Amino acid sequence: FIFANFLYIFSLYTINYMKVGIIGSGGREHALCYFIKKSAKVDKIYCFPGNAGTSKIAENIQADLNNFEELKNIIIEKEIDYLIVGPEKPLVDGIVDFFEKHKIKTFGPNKIAAELEGSKIFTKKLCQKYKIPTADFGVFNKSADAFKFIESSNFPLVVKADGLAAGKGVYICEDKNMAYQAIQEVFGGKFGLAKEILIEEFLDGEEMSYFIISDGKTYKKFQTAQDHKRVFEGDKGKNTGGMGAYSPSKLINEELDRKIISKIIEPTLKGLIDFKTNFKGFLYAGLMIKNNEPYLIEYNVRMGDPECQTILPRLKNDIMEVLEGSINGELENINLSWHESKSLSIVLCSKGYPDKFKNEIEIKNLDNLDLKDKEFIFHAGTKMIEDKTFSNGGRVLNFVKQSESYKKSREDIISLINNLKWENGFYRKDIGFKAIDK
Ligand code: AMP
Ligand code: GLY
């Protein structure tokens, strides 16, 4: 009895003790912040730099995300226990290695593992070595060789710059002229110094995002989603960061899930171990599905945005326990459970995005919106100026709803957006059309 009492008193001291830092400023990070805030273990959250949404539940701190030394000083001063990294760039730059060296517990893959996103050629070579299904490809280090290759190729084909290019750097080429120009642009340095170029077979089928979370020893599935990258309805127009998503994907079934795990995820994790490292954090496989067969298009070493905002409301677990489990190598003991409902997100963007758009347009009605159960608004490009919310980017707000059908989720979101009446905004009304409007 005394022991039980002791445990009880001890537990009183152990709840609400954690200080958490979150790196990033998008909808993904606001969603992480929102659910981390709900954790009984978390006392205070700092966002680097966050947005208007995070400023209401956490403390935003302006810092140069490229300056790890400066970040470290703030993290030590604020006594932050865990650092959660949202976007890819700091991961690819080695933020996890840096902070681990300074004994700060950081969520995400190390620099070598982050090459899965940082270098498309690294990933393709891994696919080749471990027989992971992916588009056939060639790597060229001279433009003359690349030009020669396209002379005898079938079209369409895909030309890719190797490194991070913020969603750009991928050319779907319909003919030789387009491929010629793409090769010139990549070797011309449009996406930074290019020593090599990747040319690959065009895969047709339907795209799906598949997520896992790993602690370096074991992993747990973290759901599926379908994203809408093009700016206009019907998947037309330029590529964007993502205009909306839904989860789960309509394509997933048990057999496909088994194939993805056995042909793609597990060989990748094993491949990294052969590289003398392992994968910690979220791993996001961008897949092409054709006739219920998965092909790897690319890896990302983080959650997707807006997939994160769409998936997290489905998670029943305390997200902080899950992230902690990944950091501390204790995921094995955690069973993830999910709401079976249909989650859908729509991104409200600034008119003109992804090209030129105006910033600092006030969003007036936000506090008047009546959010019902399972409805969420996650901020992306927003900032507060004297208690008022202003736009601060191309993708501004994410509206998310979970319900019994994608159609209902979408209708309810659209009525929320209509009630907001933000005159500088536009959005796609057809998110989920392949699952809803067949
Ligand atoms: P990535 O940055 O590699 O994800 O490529 C961006 C987008 O280009 C993907 O989401 C696909 O829509 C498309 N894509 C990339 N590689 C291929 C491929 N080999 N075949 C067909 N589409 C592709
Ligand atoms: N939604 C696509 C991405 O996060 O890369």
Side-chain angles (χ1 to χ4, degrees):
F1 172 76
I2 291 173
F3 183 65
N5 235 352
F6 173 75
L7 272 186
Y8 174 69
I9 291 167
F10 186 70
S11 75
L12 285 184
Y13 280 102
T14 54
I15 55 173
N16 278 335
Y17 64 94
M18 262 185 218
K19 293 187 171 54
V20 178
I22 300 176
I23 303 259
S25 62
R28 169 181 52 212
E29 288 76 21
H30 184 202
L32 282 166
C33 186
Y34 178 91
F35 289 104
I36 289 173
K37 181 76 186 173
K38 292 200 176 305
S39 170
K41 296 178 149 190
V42 174
D43 169 36
K44 171 127 195 178
I45 305 175
Y46 296 92
C47 291
F48 302 92
N51 56 37
T54 65
S55 75
K56 297 202 171 150
I57 49 175
E59 184 177 331
N60 285 355
I61 298 183
Q62 295 301 321
D64 176 3
L65 298 185
N66 294 311
N67 188 340
F68 294 168
E69 194 62 38
E70 182 193 321
L71 273 175
K72 184 192 82 185
N73 293 336
I74 304 172
I75 284 162
I76 291 172
E77 184 204 313
K78 301 287 183 194
E79 300 180 325
I80 288 172
D81 301 291
Y82 286 101
L83 186 64
I84 313 299
V85 186
E88 62 277 14
K89 178 149 191 312
L91 294 168
V92 172
D93 290 345
I95 195 169
V96 171
D97 312 58
F98 178 87
F99 280 110
E100 276 181 356
K101 216 163 54 203
H102 292 95
K103 306 265 176 290
I104 294 165
K105 294 189 168 204
T106 307
F107 174 80
N110 64 20
K111 192 171 178 173
I112 298 177
E115 281 294 276
L116 285 176
E117 178 162 4
S119 166
K120 293 181 161 62
I121 293 174
F122 174 88
T123 298
K124 288 304 255 191
K125 290 186 175 162
L126 192 95
C127 288
Q128 199 167 38
K129 187 160 173 207
Y130 295 91
K131 300 192 169 50
I132 295 168
T134 188
D136 284 340
F137 68 100
V139 176
F140 303 91
N141 53 24
K142 289 198 197 74
S143 48
D145 295 341
F147 292 144
K148 207 158 108 197
F149 176 80
I150 60 170
E151 282 301 323
S152 56
S153 297
N154 295 325
F155 286 86
L157 58 68
V158 187
V159 173
K160 296 184 177 181
D162 183 37
L164 286 187
K168 303 185 181 76
V170 173
Y171 299 79
I172 311 286
C173 304
E174 299 295 340
D175 55 43
K176 221 181 284 181
N177 282 342
M178 284 175 80
Y180 199 88
Q181 196 182 340
I183 294 165
Q184 270 180 328
E185 286 188 9
V186 173
F187 275 122
K190 189 164 177 184
F191 308 99
L193 180 69
K195 289 197 191 126
E196 293 178 310
I197 198 169
L198 180 64
I199 301 185
E200 61 180 49
E201 166 202 17
F202 178 82
L203 296 171
D204 67 84
E206 197 171 332
E207 281 180 67
M208 181 179 102
S209 308
Y210 191 97
F211 301 88
I212 60 143
I213 184 167
S214 176
D215 66 358
K217 297 183 282 195
T218 180
Y219 69 88
K220 302 278 158 148
K221 296 174 193 175
F222 212 82
Q223 289 296 326
T224 59
Q226 273 180 270
D227 179 19
H228 297 61
K229 288 205 177 91
R230 303 292 198 96
V231 65
F232 297 130
E233 280 161 29
D235 289 338
K236 304 242 160 48
K238 290 194 175 165
N239 254 327
T240 69
M243 300 294 291
Y246 70 91
S247 170
S249 161
K250 77 174 205 309
L251 297 172
I252 195 68
N253 54 62
E254 264 178 47
E255 189 191 341
L256 178 61
D257 197 285
R258 258 199 314 276
K259 288 178 187 164
I260 293 168
I261 290 292
S262 66
K263 295 184 176 187
I264 298 180
I265 302 294
E266 289 187 346
T268 301
L269 297 177
K270 180 176 177 306
L272 286 180
I273 289 169
D274 294 347
F275 272 95
K276 306 226 174 332
T277 189
N278 53 26
F279 194 92
K280 286 180 147 196
F282 286 120
L283 182 62
Y284 159 177
L287 304 174
M288 190 68 86
I289 310 297
K290 189 177 183 184
N291 302 328
N292 218 36
E293 283 295 330
Y295 299 86
L296 181 72
I297 298 178
E298 59 155 2
Y299 271 127
N300 299 302
V301 296
R302 51 173 174 83
M303 270 311 279
D305 181 335
E307 290 94 327
C308 185
Q309 299 86 298
T310 318
I311 289 175
L312 281 187
R314 295 185 53 216
L315 179 66
K316 292 184 183 167
N317 301 62
D318 175 333
I319 182 70
M320 196 57 223
E321 279 182 9
V322 180
L323 300 172
E324 227 190 326
S326 162
I327 296 171
N328 294 330
E330 291 164 356
L331 262 188
E332 197 178 356
N333 308 323
I334 298 177
N335 286 319
L336 300 187
S337 61
W338 301 93
H339 294 287
E340 280 310 316
S341 51
K342 313 288 190 206
S343 186
L344 189 134
S345 66
I346 299 181
V347 184
L348 182 63
C349 299
S350 297
K351 277 181 189 158
Y353 172 78
D355 295 319
K356 264 178 69 150
F357 54 85
K358 284 197 200 127
N359 265 334
E360 294 205 9
I361 311 281
E362 192 180 349
I363 308 166
K364 287 192 182 125
N365 267 324
L366 264 178
D367 293 334
N368 303 330
L369 290 186
D370 178 23
L371 287 187
K372 298 194 189 69
D373 189 33
K374 313 236 182 237
E375 291 181 349
F376 306 87
I377 297 178
F378 298 118
H379 289 229
T382 64
K383 67 175 173 186
M384 295 295 276
I385 305 175
E386 289 164 0
D387 285 347
K388 292 182 177 150
T389 307
F390 290 83
S391 62
N392 184 37
R395 294 194 292 168
V396 180
L397 293 169
N398 303 266
F399 291 74
V400 185
K401 166 112 196 191
Q402 268 181 278
S403 78
E404 68 278 6
S405 77
Y406 299 121
K407 187 162 187 279
K408 173 152 178 38
S409 294
R410 187 170 72 182
E411 282 166 2
D412 290 353
I413 290 171
I414 289 176
S415 82
L416 270 177
I417 297 179
N418 288 340
N419 289 342
L420 182 68
K421 296 190 183 71
W422 186 49
E423 70 279 9
N424 194 48
F426 81 98
Y427 63 97
R428 273 181 65 167
K429 297 180 187 66
D430 70 338
I431 299 302
F433 71 95
K434 287 180 183 159
I436 300 174
D437 309 306
K438 280 165 280 212

